[in-house]
Amino acid sequence: MRLACQTIGSEELTSTLKPLTATDSHRLGLLTSLDGRQLVALVLDLKGRTAGLVRCELDQCHYSSLTPLIPQAHWFERALKDLFGITPAGHPRLKSNFVPEAFEATLAPLRSAGDRGKLAGEPPRDFRFLRVGGEGVYEVPVGPIHAGVIEPAHFRLSCLGEFICNLELRLGFLHRGVERRLTEVSWPNARFVAEAASSDTAAGNALAHAIAMESLLEVEVSPRARHLRTLALEVERIAMHIADIGGLGVDLGFLGVAAGLSRLRGAAVGLADLLSGSRFMRGYICPGGVTLAEGGRLSQLRAQAQKLRRDVRGFVQMFLDNASVQERLTDTGKVSRGLARDFGLVGVAARASGIAYDARQHFLHGDYPPLAPAPAVERGGDALDRTRVRARELETSFSILEAVLDEEFAGECAVALPQALPANEAACGIVEAFRGELIHLIFTDARGRISRYAIKDPSFNNWTGMAIAARNNLIADFPVANKSFALSYSGHDL
Amino acid sequence: MLKLLFYLIKNGCLTQRKICPSLDEPALGLPRLVPGKNWTEQAARRCAEACPTQAITAGDRGGESPSASPALTLDLGKCIGCMLCLKVCPSGFIVADRSTRTATTRREDLVLSPRSLPGPQEALPQKEAAGGLFGKSISVRVVSTGCSACDLEVAAAFNPIFDAERFGIHLTASPRMADVLLVTGPAGRGMHEPLKRAYEAMPEPRIVIAAGTCAISGGVHAGNYSQADGVGAVLPVDIFIPGCPPHPWSIIHGIMEAMRLPLDRARPGSSLNAP
């Protein structure tokens, strides 16, 4: 959607944003900057199904941190420091999590090149770990390279006996400069970079990108494209929810179910292949519609989805009914509803903690909100409830597939796009990807080029949840808790 | 547990029997230049302009001689398989290639031109694999530095459908037990040091596989401030598997190529100072 902008003074920041984010009907979607000389907040109005920008010019490279009063801002403020060199003075735990130590200390990659001189007096990025003191406390360092086939990050566990006192996350190892690259490529090619933010969410990223671009270009897609996009988004959700439940099976040593689910993920990826020609639906969703006509393959898709649904249901039920699984997952990696709300968790992790937020109910993407299912909400906030949420969402996703396949596929696959982007505009695309709320926010400059492209992966919000969940858990349960969140590293590090 | 056993027995063996088969439509595959097909400079330039990763170069055809550099090249090591070139070039000198036998042992073999077209790749005889550097068994340590699509495809190569273990390929959790370092992703600056350390921890002889377009060339990330220009900038690479991401069969093909590498391919004392 196109975004209106309200400009305020820096002294009004907290007083403006606090009431906007303190209620359940509003969220802080993003807090970032364009080139380091201002702060821009994207505020989502869930009830009004809309969003708006709040902008505040900065004369200096620092401002008074919002985090003490608005905890949702805390991860965003770390990103401001890393990417723009802006210091949120008074942030309770400012550390570097986006640009690794290997890069030069003064690098602020998204700050405008002519404006780096101002950074001279500012403190450099901080890489110190939080130390837990006391007799018998020891540290377990894990990563950045992990034992499995999984993305890299460093975890430092401070433990007392078998229990974790504190988990320190150090991310950023996958920093590839995606956001800056998105402002360098020509806009018709931006979709390939946007997808590569995190390719397990290729359909979600491509859809958020397409919606933002279509808002800028004032283009409306056909019902056919809407339906095909919905299918793509739900096929991705099905494939990844199966993978994530199966991954938990691996970590618990329940290998029969894990092997079965890894095969069924293969079948779900087969649906993606059938729909788009790519197992990850790379390059499928584009601004204007989708790139491949469905041909006569939808009936095949329906039949395969129905069979997959039966198989998945059986395996997931076997998993959830197993007494060892229940014992291991209950109360493991717990996040209370209060903390989940304060820190603005999204997606599966939020719904498992009792927060009924599913972006499909609020924001236009694909056939949503009209076809949006009721959010799958659980109360316990532990690994078991996150698995239950996934299990329930698998069912609703299959139902959505069937409902969409019953619709009439009218219109073109893709409509033609105008030649140029409008000048000085801002638009965003908000999508409920399989991990949760995914936001792409695009600004254009006076010449109609993309001047700033911000991506907020659902994992951006939820890594905080992982850090909370690890506390007071057994070390042996840490991989299980981590897997139950199943967060993205690349989508976070960009 | 009985339910699980019953299900597994009822469904029987679900593993694909044909090794590295070509993909069916609508799978997009990778682009390929057709030998002998006539092409025009204009059409080649259109393809080059459409390519989002500059994988296609189109030069002047007038002075083409066997010694000059080819006027048209397609670098699969940069290609992300978007197939825009096929869409803008209906004359058919670029077509979709759905083969999964895509891995090469030399970077330059991924750069296709109308002259240097590789012949149809022969079937992969398993007997031959047995004679190679790593005989019948190879241990692979996977290091991810990218967007996770390639990692998911590596993981998929070990699922019951593709079952890479039946070829003697094992995943190992420690580089100290690994013959192969299989790297996915463009290897940005943050991963340079971890990659070097993992490589140094491996026993010799050791092999590096760059899996996926990002690992080979940086893909869409190449040339950025993050120095995410592929694994080759950090480690000596022995096998290249193109694709964005490569199909699980292509990944298996690449690892089997590593098993077939001749014994003299071992690099005793290969040092990181001169990659």
Side-chain angles (χ1 to χ4, degrees), chain A residues 146 175-176 181 199 263 279, chain B residues 141 147 153 220 222 225-226:
Chain A
H146 298 289
H175 185 68
R176 291 148 290 153
R181 178 45 58 91
S199 291
R263 181 181 75 74
R279 288 159 55 88
Chain B
R141 166 73 254 207
C147 72
E153 291 300 52
V220 295
Y225 67 90
S226 57

Side-chain angles (χ1 to χ4, degrees), chain A residues 94-221:
Chain A
L94 190 64
K95 64 168 182 177
S96 181
N97 231 349
F98 296 88
V99 180
E101 221 168 348
F103 289 86
E104 54 268 42
T106 53
L107 179 79
L110 299 186
R111 192 173 192 87
S112 65
D115 198 35
R116 298 239 160 90
K118 275 194 200 161
L119 294 177
E122 296 294 323
R125 305 198 306 282
D126 192 344
F127 291 95
R128 279 172 301 177
F129 289 105
L130 185 75
R131 306 287 304 229
V132 181
E135 194 184 339
V137 175
Y138 63 96
E139 286 186 345
V140 181
V142 182
I145 299 177
H146 298 289
V149 182
I150 176 176
E151 297 167 90
H154 182 83
F155 303 136
R156 188 155 301 189
L157 304 159
S158 294
C159 306
L160 186 58
E162 293 283 304
F163 287 92
I164 300 167
C165 307
N166 184 54
L167 162 65
E168 274 282 282
L169 301 167
R170 177 177 292 173
L171 295 145
F173 289 92
L174 293 175
H175 185 68
R176 291 148 290 153
V178 170
E179 288 183 329
R180 189 154 109 188
R181 178 45 58 91
L182 279 162
T183 64
E184 293 165 344
V185 296
S186 68
W187 67 262
N189 284 340
R191 63 190 179 102
F192 299 110
V193 185
E195 273 181 6
S198 173
S199 291
D200 51 12
T201 324
N205 275 308
L207 184 53
H209 169 77
I211 290 166
M213 293 299 278
E214 285 154 10
S215 312
L216 285 172
L217 296 162
E218 295 182 307
V219 164
E220 197 164 331
V221 303

